[in-house]
Amino acid sequence: MTAQLPTPFHPADAYGYAELLTDAERATLLRLRGLVDEHVRPVLAESWDRGEFPTGIEAPLVNAQLMDPAEVAAAGEQPSALYSGFRTFELARADASVLTWYNAQAGLFRTTVAYGASAEQATELDARIRDFSWKGVFALTEPEHGSDIAGGLATSARRDPATGHWRIDGAKRWIGGAGQADVMAVFARDVEDSQVKCFIVPVDADGVELEVIRGKASLRIMQNFDIRLTGVVVEDAARLPNINSWSDVAACLRRMRADVAWSAAGAAAGAYEAAVRYVGAREQFGQPLARFALIQEKLAHMLGNVTASLGMVVRLSQRQAEGIYRDEDSSLAKMHTARTLRETTALAREVVGGNGILVAHDVARFHADAEAIYSYEGTHEINALVVGRSITGLAAFR
């Protein structure tokens, strides 16, 4: 006798990975889904078309306390790594920019402070990060240094021995959400020992200039910034004491890269679901598009991509929850999920036909945003070389 399967938690979760979550975690995610449907989805098309962030969505998502959910606390649980992954997945299946805005705080900045701060600092600051009363962003990438940032980072930090203060000079690029933040986690090279350090810099400090990047064809809702730091002075207490080298930065990145893999899986799910909605409603030659064999083959291909990506990121989060953090694991997941995201969004645009280039049908937005996800947090090639190094024991890059 065949067992009766539960209703899928996500339409694109063919193997039921969300069943690994606790009841309280699923309840939180359902609440998030309701907030997204009410406050986020109705403004996405216009916001994307205008290239503006819809500030009205901030309060509902912040007030939802998704990093410290009431349902999970009431059940006597702590939010799991798997819950954090599915929270990313849920936001990304709505919109990659909205997810990027949220995870600038919940992922990039929170991880940097948790890893880089002292135990006392981390305990004090994490509560303020969770409730967004202290908003921060991650400032690593530079105008001339992306993939080569490990050796090429040019922003400098010089300590004044008389005062103990630090002077920071340099530039950062592609810093998402900086205009809405209170502070930035700025990575700079100490001129004394040439090691990379991290400093918490107020966005309104003297010598900080922000300029929004215009003309983007991807992640149009997310506001990215060019940042110039000229003679910016911060006290020694602004330095995160546990980040003292590139290896410490890499330790942060391998944790963050899992979030990007989850976002790729979520965006692929969003594109797939948008395509399914469209072909079920659209008729050609007197019958729904969904009835055509060629359409069904493409949908099956897309669902296979999403299912494989979910399996990879679920297992990655489980391993990291066990304390297993390896560069090759997070790089493999990011490389695979971002590559199949591109394929999935292209297939989604294909099955929607000419209407697939219209933002109103959603797939155009996912198709364009896939290009940014494919490139940030390590390009396909860089992640492939990290994996290749682990396979062969030989580094193809320095």
Side-chain angles (χ1 to χ4, degrees):
M1 181 177 179
T2 303
Q4 182 65 41
L5 294 175
T7 301
F9 188 75
H10 291 101
D13 184 7
Y15 283 7
Y17 289 112
E19 295 168 30
L20 297 170
L21 296 163
T22 68
D23 290 342
E25 289 172 333
R26 283 194 296 272
T28 301
L29 293 171
L30 284 174
R31 178 165 59 87
L32 169 59
R33 191 178 302 175
L35 290 171
V36 167
D37 289 343
E38 180 180 359
H39 298 286
V40 178
R41 290 189 187 278
V43 301
L44 289 177
E46 182 180 356
S47 297
W48 200 94
D49 198 33
R50 292 166 61 92
E52 296 177 356
F53 187 86
T55 55
I57 72 172
E58 292 183 44
L61 292 177
V62 168
N63 294 338
Q65 297 183 317
L66 301 171
M67 286 183 266
D68 192 17
E71 295 91 339
V72 176
E77 303 168 2
Q78 293 292 323
S80 67
L82 203 56
Y83 160 76
S84 296
F86 270 104
R87 182 188 65 208
T88 292
F89 183 87
E90 193 73 52
L91 286 167
R93 66 187 278 267
D95 183 76
S97 284
V98 173
L99 176 275
T100 303
W101 164 78
Y102 190 86
N103 268 15
Q105 176 84 356
L108 296 171
F109 186 63
R110 190 183 186 195
T111 298
T112 302
V113 172
Y115 184 87
S118 67
E120 295 78 12
Q121 286 175 316
T123 300
E124 174 191 352
L125 296 175
D126 192 59
R128 298 174 62 194
I129 294 172
R130 292 198 310 270
D131 68 10
F132 279 76
S133 61
W134 195 52
K135 298 187 290 293
V137 293
F138 181 84
L140 175 62
T141 302
E142 299 181 346
E144 302 301 326
H145 300 288
S147 294
D148 71 341
I149 194 71
L153 188 141
T155 299
S156 65
R158 184 185 303 274
R159 188 173 184 272
D160 183 340
T163 64
H165 295 173
W166 294 83
R167 175 190 168 110
I168 303 173
D169 292 278
K172 299 295 179 181
R173 184 165 173 81
W174 297 115
I175 311 306
Q180 298 155 281
D182 301 309
V183 297
M184 305 175 288
V186 174
F187 294 84
R189 194 176 301 280
D190 185 346
V191 298
E192 184 174 344
D193 62 9
S194 295
Q195 296 297 318
V196 178
K197 311 287 171 64
C198 184
F199 303 85
I200 301 299
V201 178
V203 296
D204 60 356
D206 290 341
V208 174
E209 299 176 60
L210 276 67
E211 182 180 356
V212 69
I213 298 173
R214 304 290 184 186
K216 294 189 303 175
S218 186
L219 292 184
R220 286 174 51 79
I221 293 175
M222 183 63 179
Q223 301 301 293
N224 296 89
F225 286 81
D226 278 318
I227 299 174
R228 171 67 59 181
L229 303 114
T230 306
V232 178
V233 176
V234 296
E235 297 181 0
D236 190 56
R239 187 174 74 83
L240 296 181
N242 291 329
I243 296 180
N244 295 295
S245 67
W246 179 256
S247 64
D248 293 327
V249 181
C252 293
L253 292 175
R254 75 174 61 100
R255 287 162 168 79
M256 298 168 185
R257 199 158 281 150
D259 288 343
V260 183
W262 272 101
S263 73
Y272 162 77
E273 291 168 16
V276 171
R277 288 194 300 270
Y278 182 87
V279 301
R282 172 78 166 177
E283 289 195 359
Q284 291 287 281
F285 304 102
Q287 58 184 325
L289 280 176
R291 188 182 294 276
F292 289 90
L294 289 175
I295 297 294
Q296 292 188 8
E297 188 277 336
K298 289 179 172 61
L299 294 176
H301 192 149
M302 294 159 65
L303 181 59
N305 283 347
V306 177
T307 303
S309 292
L310 262 176
M312 184 171 281
V313 294
V314 163
R315 187 62 186 134
L316 175 62
S317 287
Q318 289 175 329
R319 284 169 66 84
Q320 291 190 344
E322 296 165 1
I324 302 172
Y325 287 90
R326 303 193 310 172
D327 288 331
E328 58 266 34
D329 291 346
S330 51
S331 287
L332 181 64
K334 198 279 177 173
M335 179 190 77
H336 173 82
T337 58
R339 180 182 60 79
T340 56
L341 167 63
R342 282 179 113 191
E343 181 181 54
T344 301
T345 57
L347 287 169
R349 199 226 56 80
E350 192 172 315
V351 301
V352 178
N355 283 333
I357 68 172
L358 295 176
V359 178
H361 297 294
D362 293 332
V363 294
R365 181 165 41 83
F366 287 112
H367 185 253
D369 289 349
E371 293 304 299
I373 296 172
Y374 185 73
S375 296
Y376 65 44
E377 291 295 328
T379 63
H380 174 85
E381 291 78 12
I382 290 296
N383 280 306
L385 293 179
V386 171
V387 176
R389 180 180 62 192
S390 74
I391 294 170
T392 64
L394 301 171
F397 68 101
R398 292 180 176 84

